[in-house]
Amino acid sequence: MEVEQLYEMLRKMQEPKGYFFSRDKEWVLDILRGLLTNKERYGYMSCPCRLASRDREKDKDIICPCVYRAPDVEEYGSCYCNLYVSKEWNEDKIPHVYVPERRPPEKTPIL
């Protein structure tokens, strides 16, 4: 799949749910390229902003959209990666602050 195809597919699926891509399209395309790379590498689109274990079951919480997206966007207006954001975030109606990692440290693989 091409990155632009993934962009359009996800945009159409997620916008009706209230999740928008960041208006920084180059950033978004970089993250989407990372998702496609991880799909090739692991067989699933794990978050490129986090370390994957190569075990789908262990990584199910970070398969995009990750389980942390909803609470991140609700609390901060953006997910950890700044891939998915709220409409208010894109319109600068709320501050753009650092989104802390919600994934428990014990889930991060040790290399």
Side-chain angles (χ1 to χ4, degrees):
M1 177 178 291
E2 299 286 330
V3 70
E4 286 287 346
Q5 288 175 297
L6 182 61
Y7 180 94
E8 283 305 316
M9 182 184 76
L10 293 176
R11 186 186 64 74
K12 288 176 185 173
M13 288 171 53
Q14 300 303 322
E15 283 186 2
K17 298 175 186 176
Y19 298 105
F20 300 86
F21 284 138
S22 166
R23 66 177 182 239
D24 182 347
K25 190 166 182 185
E26 282 310 307
W27 175 257
V28 169
L29 293 178
D30 282 346
I31 297 293
L32 295 179
R33 282 185 200 98
L35 287 171
L36 291 171
T37 297
N38 285 347
K39 181 158 177 63
E40 279 182 36
R41 191 179 284 159
Y42 310 127
Y44 52 94
M45 290 196 297
S46 67
C47 175
C49 300
R50 297 177 166 108
L51 288 176
S53 69
R54 299 180 179 260
D55 179 327
R56 185 184 190 99
E57 186 60 29
K58 287 181 183 175
D59 291 339
K60 67 183 178 185
D61 63 319
I62 61 167
I63 294 174
C64 192
C66 74
V67 300
Y68 311 107
R69 177 187 70 173
D72 284 352
V73 173
E74 185 176 326
E75 186 172 348
Y76 299 102
S78 171
C79 72
Y80 180 68
C81 300
N82 297 132
L83 175 64
Y84 288 109
V85 300
S86 67
K87 186 176 180 184
E88 295 78 18
W89 194 91
N90 262 344
E91 294 173 350
D92 291 324
K93 292 181 179 175
I94 58 173
H96 296 188
V97 298
Y98 171 75
V99 179
E101 173 64 278
R102 288 183 192 266
R103 192 176 201 213
E106 63 272 12
K107 287 196 166 217
T108 301
I110 298 170
L111 301 177

